[in-house]
Amino acid sequence: MTDGFDREDGSLPLDTVRLAIELEIPSDIRYIERVVELVTGQCEQLCYTARHCALNVPVALTEALANAILRGNGENRLKFVRVSARLDFTRLVMEVADEGDGFDMDDCTVDPTTGDNVLREDGRGLFLMRRLMDSVERFNDHGNVVRLTLLRG
Amino acid sequence: MSFSIKKQGEIVVVDVEGQLIVGNRQELKQKVLDELEKGEKRFLIDFSQTGYIDSSGLGVLVSLSKKIREQGGELRLANLNDDLKTLFELTKLDTLFQIADTRERALESF
C-alpha cells in the first residue's frame, strides 16, 4: 500500500518533486561554469537525460549567461545577472536577467550554418540556444530577461 | 579547465580538459598562436577529456583553423564524444574541420 506519495520501495516519486534555484552573480564570465554546474546538478537529480545534462542545458545556459554578462551588462561588475531555474518532472525553465537595454531576438536571424556563415567566428549563440531548447523567449521585467524552456520528454 | 600542449613528432597536440567556453577560450587561442609563431605547422586538438563547448569555443576553433591555414599549416580535431559531435553537426562545423575518431587516426592523417 502507498499513500500516494511514497513508493513501495521507499524511494521518492520524481513526478512530485519540484526544484528551484535563484541566484545573482556579478557580471564576470568566471561565474558561468559554477552556475551551469549548479543547474545541471539539479537536472541530474530529476533524472534528465545524459544529453540534456551534458549538452542542451550547459551550452544553452552558458550562451544566455555570456550574453547577459558581456552584452547586457557590458562586463560591468557593479551590475548583476539574476538567474533562476525551476524544474520538475516535465520541464526545466531557466530565466537569465541582466540590467541592460535588451536586444531584439528577431534581429538575430543569421543562420550560421549557411554559406560563408559557417566560416564566421561569431553568431552561433542564439542559434544554439534555439536549437538546444524547446523555447527561447525574451521579455522585459525590470530588465532584460531571456527565458529558456526544455521539456524533459 | 585547462589545456596541455605537447609535441608528438612534428605535431603539436593540445588536450582540452574540462570546458571550452567564453571564460577560457582566449587561453587556448593564445597557446596555439604561440606555437604557430614559433613555426609549428601541424596541430591536433584532442577532446577526449572535454565536457562541453559553447559558441565562443567553437568560434575560437574556427579562428585558429583560419590562422593555421594562412600560415600553411593544418589543424585536425579528435575524440569528439556523441554530444560534441552533435554540436558540430548542428552548426555544420563538421564540414569545416577534419575530425578523427581517435588520436592515433588523427596523427596518422597528417
Side-chain angles (χ1 to χ4, degrees):
Chain A
M1 283 288 289
T2 69
D3 61 4
F5 187 78
D6 295 319
R7 286 176 171 167
E8 287 178 357
D9 65 1
S11 63
L12 286 172
L14 287 178
D15 52 357
T16 64
V17 175
R18 292 193 176 89
L19 298 173
I21 298 175
E22 281 197 38
L23 61 160
E24 265 190 5
I25 56 170
S27 299
D28 184 333
I29 54 176
R30 290 175 297 181
Y31 285 89
I32 290 177
E33 198 172 353
R34 184 74 185 109
V35 174
V36 169
E37 272 175 31
L38 283 170
V39 175
T40 52
Q42 300 295 298
C43 294
E44 286 166 4
Q45 291 288 318
L46 288 191
C47 299
Y48 278 58
T49 66
R51 169 146 295 196
H52 283 165
C53 296
L55 176 68
N56 300 68
V57 175
V59 175
L61 181 54
T62 297
E63 300 299 343
L65 290 168
N67 272 343
I69 292 168
L70 297 174
R71 294 187 187 178
N73 288 351
E75 277 191 285
N76 179 347
R77 287 177 62 97
L78 298 177
K79 292 183 176 179
F80 284 80
V81 172
R82 285 184 290 116
V83 186
S84 75
R86 288 170 281 121
L87 64 158
D88 58 22
F89 197 59
T90 61
R91 73 188 61 215
L92 163 70
V93 180
M94 300 180 284
E95 291 181 1
V96 176
D98 61 53
E99 299 181 43
D101 297 327
F103 65 98
D104 189 344
M105 290 204 303
D106 292 332
D107 286 344
C108 307
T109 53
V110 174
D111 182 348
T113 66
T114 56
D116 286 346
N117 289 342
V118 177
L119 300 169
R120 283 178 57 159
E121 293 166 31
D122 58 2
R124 294 182 182 86
L126 187 56
F127 172 84
L128 282 176
M129 279 195 270
R130 284 177 166 148
R131 294 302 299 267
L132 295 172
M133 292 284 113
D134 288 293
S135 79
V136 178
E137 308 156 82
R138 177 188 163 271
F139 59 93
N140 282 293
D141 178 19
H142 307 298
N144 177 43
V145 185
V146 173
R147 176 185 290 160
L148 309 172
T149 303
L150 175 69
L151 302 178
R152 184 174 175 280
Chain B
M1 52 190 182
S2 67
F3 310 102
S4 64
I5 289 194
K6 58 186 164 198
K7 283 287 294 285
Q8 213 157 325
E10 297 203 333
I11 301 162
V12 176
V13 180
V14 184
D15 282 294
V16 178
E17 295 157 15
Q19 329 312 340
L20 174 56
I21 56 175
V22 60
N24 66 349
R25 62 184 167 143
Q26 283 301 337
E27 187 188 338
L28 172 68
K29 188 173 184 177
Q30 197 53 54
K31 284 191 172 188
V32 172
L33 290 181
D34 288 347
E35 296 297 321
L36 192 63
E37 203 162 298
K38 287 183 205 163
E40 300 294 346
K41 299 282 187 201
R42 295 172 168 180
F43 293 85
L44 164 60
I45 303 181
D46 189 318
F47 294 97
S48 58
Q49 299 173 73
T50 307
Y52 57 93
I53 302 175
D54 71 356
S55 64
S56 298
L58 293 173
V60 158
L61 295 175
V62 173
S63 168
L64 288 173
S65 167
K66 285 184 201 166
K67 289 182 188 303
I68 291 169
R69 224 177 304 132
E70 282 166 11
Q71 299 295 319
E74 298 170 84
L75 171 65
R76 306 270 197 273
L77 310 182
N79 276 320
L80 298 175
N81 64 32
D82 287 345
D83 295 326
L84 293 179
K85 275 182 195 160
T86 298
L87 193 65
F88 276 71
E89 287 163 7
L90 277 177
T91 52
K92 294 274 192 338
L93 288 176
D94 57 327
T95 63
L96 188 68
F97 292 101
Q98 293 201 40
I99 302 171
D101 284 341
T102 67
R103 190 180 188 117
E104 292 69 31
R105 282 190 190 157
L107 290 168
E108 287 166 10
S109 71
F110 282 98

